[in-house]
Amino acid sequence: MSEFFTEAVLIATIASGIRFGVPLLLAGLGEAYGQRSGVLNLGVDGVMLLGAFGGYYTVLKSDNVWLGIAVGLAIGLVLGVISAFITVTLKAEQGISGIGIFLFGLGMSDLLFQRLVGTPRPIDTFPRLEIPLLRDIPWIGEMLFRQNVVVYLAFLAIPLSMFVVNRTTFGMKIRAVGENPEAADSLGVSVAKVRYGTMLIGGTLAGVAGAALAIDLGIFQQNITNAQGFIAIALVYFGAWRPFGVMLGALLYGFVNATVIQWKTLGIIPDSWSDIAAMAPAVITILALVVVATRFRAPSALTKPFERGE
Amino acid sequence: MRLRSWLALLAAMALVAGACGDDSVSAPEGFQIGIVAPSATNDLAFTQSIVDAANVLAGDPEILISDGLFNIDDAGSAIRGYAADGVDLVIAHGSQYGGPLQEIAQDFPDTAFAWGTTNDTFGLSNVYAYEAASDEGGYVMGVMAAALTETNNIGIVGPIETGDAKLYVDGFEAGALSGGANVSKVYTGSFSDVALAKQAAEAFASQDVDVMSGTAQMVVGAVGVADTEGILWFGTQSNQAELGDIVVASQVYKWEVVLEDILSNIQDGVLGGQSYEINFENDGIVLEYNDAYDLPGDVESLAEETIDGIKDGSISTG
């Protein structure tokens, strides 16, 4: 156990946990917007997969990671419109339509990869951005301030989201539509427009999350997200539908993953416990969810399509 | 009398020509092979190894592929579909497919099936089994890794502690230990989680590891870290040289050694009931070096000596 508490290993574990949590954080934040307005989107993972392929392929062809992120964003935006059209305009059952989006993303991203790329080929990854002065702080500097730009942007999105949800008119409308769409409608708020807006934000962030994941890994592979989109949805519940809570969940999941892997490599977890240990992040998240579920309440209109005059 | 002499001479020449000619088995015209596999056909790993092998068979058999079938029920449907369509040889390329295969093979007794990696034919006369002695290549590359490491720390990333992956990881570990290196290994618990494999590689990098290896489809995540950190990499199952110049060498499976024999048996009317193993001895496993990596001559010699030792039995991989 003493090997774990060395400077190099601890720093690497925490830095790795932060990076692992970033796609979860971005996708979870986007999903939180949707759920606060009453829309559950189970298709996050599918959007992430298509964003991941779009980002990967763009970087493969252009060697420009920012163009890759932009393409991931655009793909997410388009899928956000499609998701919104299905769930808001067509008033489809949200769970089923979300699964449909997921399956579409899973299949289409693999098909495009097979047809356009074939063999996994490495791409450029994000350059590391070291923040002057802050990077030199012992321990903290290396953990937090020697990351790539997307990590910083993801964490900047937390206060921004908190501001949007809690301090703006749009945020107030989101909360009103999620709690009581009939009352919001009677006050002149367009429930459809608000839900379209949150679905577009959610899709965009999921697309960026997927692109960021593939570019950070420097590779694309079939089902590269490995269900991270679904974990992100769980983290919205974990975070009690609040941006800060989602961030805590993403970081917890990332840290537990990184710690378990580090312990395995150091032999602290014996091989015979390896498979059990692999379940630790999910088990801890579920336990936390149970605690949260007893203390916080989901938006009242979550998963309920709005029908004027009902 | 003179005519008989000429005929005898012609017959003898024909026999000699036959003996001296290409002895590879050619698939008859219209022969179909259906492959059902868990990951993509070009995964640089497990699935690609069988697809590459089928594609080099003589006679240009028609190759039908259902890939990306991690889901066993879906794979079972594909296996049954090929059998029902009259495909001549159905390959279930994944030890996890044993359950549905055992059931389907009994429903189609006139169809030949091949299943790997395993040595279990279920006692059925229409099922072939095949496996790889992946510990052999693992051992050789472990020896090379121990010779190349400067920090004396080596890391191995595996998926789940079972089957071919465990055999490879154990072989690599034994080889590296025989060279006096410190070896850490980790099973991520997933064949497909690329991000987790990346985390494992980052953990190794923080522990001063300068040579790594790994097996299964998710290792591309670890290779990315190796590339960034300048850590040497050894690949397995398919040639992974195109992942970068940090790739020193790869253990490559040549399943065609098995498929050619199965093809021959099928043409003789034998549809199964045998199990095969590919290894260095039968050229079913070969070590391929990456031309982009400048491998020291003494390390290459060490690798070749180790291969010879495994072939003649003087070196044990266990």
Side-chain angles (χ1 to χ4, degrees), chain A residues 16 120 216 221 262 264-265, chain B residues 42 187 193 198 202 207 217:
Chain A
S16 176
D216 184 44
Q221 202 183 57
Q262 193 69 261
K264 283 185 185 178
T265 62
Chain B
N42 33 31
Y187 288 99
D193 197 331
K198 183 191 178 195
E202 286 177 341
Q207 295 164 27
Q217 303 83 272

Side-chain angles (χ1 to χ4, degrees), chain B residues 4 7 14 20 33 40 54 88 101 110-111 114 122 129 142 160 178 185 202 213 227 243 265 297 301:
Chain B
R4 279 188 191 171
L7 286 174
C20 294
I33 298 176
D88 301 283
L101 178 71
D110 297 328
T111 301
F122 309 116
I160 292 171
S178 76
K185 60 181 179 183
E202 286 177 341
S213 184
D227 195 30
L243 288 174
N265 286 345
S301 300

Side-chain angles (χ1 to χ4, degrees), chain B residues 220-234:
Chain B
V220 287
V223 180
V225 176
D227 195 30
T228 307
E229 302 288 337
I231 294 172
L232 297 180
W233 180 264
F234 287 90

Side-chain angles (χ1 to χ4, degrees), chain B residues 52 68 148 150 152 200 208 224 249 253 257 284-285 290 296:
Chain B
D52 286 351
L148 290 169
E150 291 175 6
N152 210 35
D208 223 11
Y253 293 169
V257 171
I285 286 179
N290 182 6

Side-chain angles (χ1 to χ4, degrees), chain A residues 12-33:
Chain A
T13 305
I14 292 172
S16 176
I18 291 171
R19 280 196 297 279
F20 190 89
V22 162
L24 296 172
L25 171 58
L26 287 168
L29 267 184
E31 176 68 8
Y33 275 98

Side-chain angles (χ1 to χ4, degrees), chain B residues 239 241-242 244-245 247-249 288-295 300:
Chain B
N239 192 327
E242 59 189 277
D245 58 7
V247 178
V248 178
E288 293 184 358
Y289 303 105
N290 182 6
D291 292 337
Y293 175 75
D294 189 17
L295 181 66
E300 186 173 342

Side-chain angles (χ1 to χ4, degrees), chain A residues 8 12 16 19-20 114 118-120 122 216-217 219 221-222 226 228 254 257-258 261-262 264-266 271 274 278, chain B residues 40 42 44 68 70 161 184-188 192-196 198-200 202-204 206-207 217 220 242-243:
Chain A
S16 176
R19 280 196 297 279
F20 190 89
Q114 295 299 328
T119 295
D216 184 44
L217 292 171
I219 204 88
Q221 202 183 57
Q222 179 192 42
N226 208 46
Q228 285 200 26
N257 255 302
I261 283 285
Q262 193 69 261
K264 283 185 185 178
T265 62
L266 290 168
D271 289 345
S274 188
Chain B
N42 33 31
L44 292 178
F70 281 104
E161 194 175 5
S184 301
K185 60 181 179 183
V186 60
Y187 288 99
T188 62
S192 59
D193 197 331
V194 180
L196 213 52
K198 183 191 178 195
Q199 275 198 318
E202 286 177 341
F204 281 137
S206 73
Q207 295 164 27
Q217 303 83 272
V220 287
E242 59 189 277
L243 288 174

